[in-house]
Amino acid sequence: MFFIASKVLFFLISPLSWIITLLIFAVFSRKDKLKKYALWASCLLLLIFANPMLSNYAMVQWEYAATPKDQLPYVETAVVLGGMLETGKEPTDQYHFNGSADRINEALLLYKEGIVQRLILSGGSGSLMDQTLREAHFLGAYSQTLTGAYSQEIILEANSRNTYENAVETARILDSLDLKEQKVLLITSASHMARALRCFKKQGILVIPFAVDFRGQQGDWNPFWILPSYASLEDWNILIKEWVGLLTYRLTGYI
């Protein structure tokens, strides 16, 4: 039930949902005053949430800091969180990744460079409609194809549907392998790391964060930041999802 409720909640808190709802209200409202207020409110929200300068500043402040590879301590195991495969695509023999593909690609680089010796790929079905798609199975095949690793070096966790379940199922695997007392490297998107860290620590897992998939751009001001951008709406959607997710997880005792 929580899984379904979270999907509905994340749809409702999307800034684009607010903007479209206000526009629809403005179109169908019979009261001119309310119609005007709704139209102005939707335009204001669009200006705010589509502004790259505002979204970039918020994203840079929120994202977990990067860790240079030469500063990572040696650990045997890295845990890679799913959420990088596109769902709803026509079945082909190709992999359809979204913008979070850095999670698996950076993990494979760490493995190839000998920084980690074992990967736990955590991700089941995050879809409400298709529960047969288990992301870890695809990621496992992808990893073995690129690295030639043995099956015991790539462990698949294909039951989890959200971050909390990622942590719970990973803890079970570590317990079964008698690795619970060892530190593991946690690999996920920089915007997602805060919530993921709290979930894994709640399960008693000793984690070292390794953030990837950075969306915020640090550096000189970009003149294109004055132009509205759909990418800014996506950034705000990610940020609000993480903030609400943190609050929800805290209220439910997940963190």
Side-chain angles (χ1 to χ4, degrees):
M1 181 60 70
F2 177 84
F3 175 70
I4 297 175
S6 66
K7 291 292 185 181
V8 175
L9 176 62
F10 290 148
F11 173 78
L12 294 176
I13 63 176
S14 169
L16 190 58
S17 296
W18 308 341
I19 294 168
I20 293 175
T21 300
L22 286 168
L23 284 174
I24 294 174
F25 181 82
V27 170
F28 291 100
S29 176
R30 296 182 179 180
K31 296 183 178 180
D32 291 339
K33 193 172 184 179
L34 290 178
K35 182 190 294 286
K36 182 175 67 174
Y37 286 157
L39 185 59
W40 277 106
S42 65
C43 291
L44 179 62
L45 288 178
L46 184 61
L47 285 174
I48 293 173
F49 289 113
N51 183 279
M53 187 166 58
L54 293 177
S55 64
N56 184 70
Y57 177 80
M59 186 63 75
V60 168
Q61 296 302 313
W62 174 254
E63 286 184 322
Y64 204 89
T67 304
K69 292 180 182 179
D70 58 5
Q71 294 182 16
L72 287 174
Y74 172 79
V75 293
E76 289 187 3
T77 308
V79 181
V80 186
L81 301 192
M84 66 201 83
L85 283 183
E86 289 283 2
T87 58
K89 297 286 187 179
E90 288 295 327
T92 70
D93 56 357
Q94 300 178 14
Y95 295 92
H96 300 286
F97 290 106
N98 59 31
S100 300
D102 283 356
R103 298 185 187 186
I104 186 63
N105 290 329
E106 289 294 336
L108 294 179
L109 285 175
L110 292 175
Y111 176 83
K112 293 279 285 186
E113 293 168 5
I115 297 176
V116 297
Q117 304 300 314
R118 182 188 302 110
L119 299 176
I120 297 178
L121 308 181
S122 178
S125 174
S127 172
L128 283 174
M129 306 304 296
D130 185 4
Q131 295 296 310
T132 62
L133 173 64
R134 301 302 174 100
E135 187 171 1
H137 295 160
F138 291 90
L139 296 178
Y142 177 77
S143 301
Q144 290 178 347
T145 298
L146 293 186
T147 65
Y150 297 106
S151 58
Q152 60 264 35
E153 295 171 342
I154 298 180
I155 301 170
L156 308 182
E157 183 285 294
N159 295 319
S160 58
R161 298 176 297 172
N162 54 38
T163 309
Y164 166 71
E165 293 181 3
N166 287 146
V168 171
E169 296 298 330
T170 299
R172 290 176 181 171
I173 291 175
L174 294 174
D175 274 335
S176 68
L177 298 175
D178 199 23
L179 297 174
K180 193 69 176 292
E181 302 303 318
Q182 294 186 17
K183 291 183 178 181
V184 300
L185 198 66
L186 179 60
I187 302 175
T188 190
S189 300
S191 60
H192 180 237
M193 183 61 77
R195 183 156 55 109
L197 269 178
R198 287 169 172 80
C199 287
F200 275 71
K201 288 180 179 179
K202 180 74 172 183
Q203 299 302 317
I205 303 173
L206 305 175
V207 288
I208 300 171
F210 187 74
V212 299
D213 178 28
F214 292 87
R215 296 180 65 93
Q217 302 177 37
Q218 301 192 34
D220 296 333
W221 183 79
N222 189 328
F224 288 100
W225 286 356
I226 63 175
L227 300 177
S229 169
Y230 180 74
S232 298
L233 288 170
E234 292 181 331
D235 285 347
W236 280 114
N237 194 49
I238 291 171
L239 287 169
I240 294 173
K241 175 183 176 181
E242 288 303 319
W243 297 339
V244 173
L246 268 176
L247 176 61
T248 304
Y249 275 26
R250 188 177 299 277
L251 292 175
T252 54
Y254 288 176
I255 60 176

